[in-house]
Amino acid sequence: VTPIQTAAFTLRPANRREDSARNKGAGRPGCNRGMKCRDWPSRAHMARPLLETKMDHLNIAAPLLAALSTRGYETLTAVQEAVLADGTEGRDMLVSAQTGSGKTVAFGLAIAPEILGGSDRLLYADTPLALVIAPTRELAQQVARELEWLYAAAGAKIATCVGGMDYRAEKRVLDRGAHIVVGTPGRLRDHIERKSLDLSGIHAVVLDEADEMLDLGFADDLEFILAAAPDSRRTLMFSATVPQEIAKLAQTFQKDALRIAAQGEPRQHTDIEYRAPSVAVRDREHAIFNALRYYEAQTAIVFCKTRANVSHLMARMGNRGFQVVALSGELSQQERTHALQALRDGRARVCIATDV
């Protein structure tokens, strides 16, 4: 395993309007008991540092470069630079990358040679060319959305295979031909066993958040899926940490893998300020209400310990006029999808959740 160290960067798509949502706030009602508005810090946010590395010298396929330009990207993050560095093309990679470091775009760019094969436009695919495995339904769907815009100009068809969704609908999409399949381990294994997913034409496999998948007990499913793919495939593993289990998996299913660790990952979210107000238990809810009203964020998330806490706080905030949705393990996939969509389209501004 060959180590590669990279410089520290922070993602910032060009021309992003940092706080435009704040101008749409619903005002700042009076504060509740237990806290005073003047007790909260200034709303001034630290400016996000601009990326320091240009894309001009990188070997990025024309349709993907056009997609990045359309999305406003002028520079890349450390992990995105690292996977495109000289000597990485065609190599298996074990990459340490934190959530928020731009790793989805990173592996989307990295596997482009295997998917595009030197062409700018994809033809019909009898079998998938690339497979991305993610630990959860929500992450898999998010990855699929990112790859859709990244490969749109190349005409790529993206299929998702995740638990909780209609198996027959997924099979129909696979039957129509997909260039990239994104899924969770259990559902992917189900499709393989039922012969509705053929991995014989796979050129690249990506394991996103590999450490999380092992923590969730997907080791057997991962081994089954990887064993079903051709030995000649390229395998990329992305993991926030590299424990012994990940290293063992890499030794088994990767060949002469490059070990890439983007330095400065603990400083990835330099635009986030952490504060811990100390309030009495009886004033906790009012502190939450005041914080949300003071900062007037377009979207916010409140974590609770239990499902019962989520239900209670959702009812309390709904009575106070907050536009809220809930996410917890007891919800069906359809309910989760509707909740997330409500946040995206602005019908809800606060998500109350357990650690789902």
Side-chain angles (χ1 to χ4, degrees):
V1 177
T2 306
I4 290 182
Q5 298 292 337
T6 65
F9 297 89
T10 304
L11 172 64
R12 184 189 185 189
N15 303 323
R16 176 176 287 178
R17 298 177 63 184
E18 296 288 343
D19 292 317
S20 61
R22 297 183 181 280
N23 298 327
K24 302 178 183 178
R28 195 189 331 171
C31 293
N32 295 305
R33 63 182 177 87
M35 294 198 68
K36 298 179 180 179
C37 282
R38 64 174 179 270
D39 294 335
W40 289 94
S42 167
R43 280 176 287 185
H45 279 52
M46 293 185 293
R48 293 185 180 183
L50 289 171
L51 288 170
E52 303 165 10
T53 303
K54 295 294 183 181
M55 295 188 291
D56 301 342
H57 64 289
L58 298 173
N59 184 23
I60 302 176
L64 274 61
L65 191 60
L68 291 170
S69 177
T70 300
R71 298 285 287 200
Y73 287 89
E74 294 180 351
T75 49
L76 297 179
T77 63
V79 66
Q80 293 163 359
E81 273 267 315
V83 299
L84 295 176
D86 292 339
T88 59
E89 185 171 342
R91 295 283 300 275
D92 288 357
M93 289 187 278
L94 176 57
V95 184
S96 297
Q98 299 288 342
T99 299
S101 60
K103 58 187 174 64
T104 303
V105 171
F107 64 69
L109 295 172
I111 62 177
E114 283 72 32
I115 295 174
L116 297 176
S119 174
D120 287 344
R121 190 73 183 175
L122 289 166
L123 302 176
Y124 174 79
D126 292 324
T127 59
L129 303 175
L131 175 68
V132 181
I133 311 173
T136 65
R137 293 178 290 239
E138 287 77 19
L139 180 58
Q141 291 168 336
Q142 177 182 326
V143 168
R145 287 193 297 270
E146 290 289 296
L147 295 178
E148 281 173 358
W149 69 256
L150 184 61
Y151 280 88
K157 303 297 182 183
I158 316 291
T160 56
C161 299
V162 297
M165 305 302 285
D166 187 350
Y167 171 86
R168 292 169 298 179
E170 292 178 346
K171 183 179 183 301
R172 286 194 294 269
V173 174
L174 292 172
D175 290 342
R176 288 197 293 267
H179 300 95
I180 306 172
V181 175
V182 184
T184 51
R187 178 54 66 91
L188 287 171
R189 179 170 184 168
D190 191 22
H191 277 287
I192 294 171
E193 291 178 333
R194 296 190 187 190
K195 310 298 183 183
S196 54
L197 176 58
D198 182 2
L199 299 186
S200 62
I202 289 291
H203 294 167
V205 175
V206 177
L207 276 66
D208 191 11
E209 298 196 5
D211 53 345
E212 182 72 13
M213 287 193 279
L214 292 186
D215 289 342
L216 293 173
F218 289 132
D220 290 342
D221 290 334
L222 290 176
E223 292 180 3
F224 176 87
I225 294 168
L226 293 173
D231 292 337
S232 59
R233 72 179 184 277
R234 186 183 181 196
T235 307
L236 282 66
M237 293 188 185
F238 284 75
S239 181
T241 60
V242 185
Q244 184 177 357
E245 295 81 0
I246 293 293
K248 182 179 178 181
L249 193 68
Q251 291 175 356
T252 304
F253 292 102
Q254 290 187 308
K255 299 181 290 291
D256 189 26
L258 286 172
R259 173 71 175 92
I260 298 177
Q263 292 181 353
E265 283 161 350
R267 303 188 299 275
Q268 283 289 342
H269 304 289
T270 56
D271 59 315
I272 295 178
E273 185 177 4
Y274 296 88
R275 291 182 176 266
S278 179
V279 297
V281 174
R282 67 178 182 276
D283 295 328
R284 186 180 300 163
E285 290 182 2
H286 299 288
I288 295 172
F289 301 158
N290 288 341
L292 293 171
R293 285 170 171 160
Y294 184 81
Y295 287 103
E296 298 177 353
Q298 184 177 11
T299 54
I301 186 166
V302 179
F303 284 105
C304 296
K305 185 176 182 180
T306 66
R307 299 173 185 175
N309 294 148
V310 170
S311 299
H312 171 78
L313 188 58
M314 184 175 180
R316 292 277 290 164
M317 294 186 70
N319 291 337
R320 292 296 184 105
F322 288 95
Q323 298 167 302
V324 296
V325 292
L327 279 179
S328 64
E330 65 185 351
L331 299 181
S332 67
Q333 178 60 32
Q334 185 177 23
E335 290 172 322
R336 294 187 194 188
T337 301
H338 287 166
L340 293 173
Q341 187 58 45
L343 286 172
R344 293 190 192 99
D345 60 26
R347 288 180 288 115
R349 296 179 60 176
V350 180
C351 176
I352 307 172
T354 54
D355 184 16
V356 294

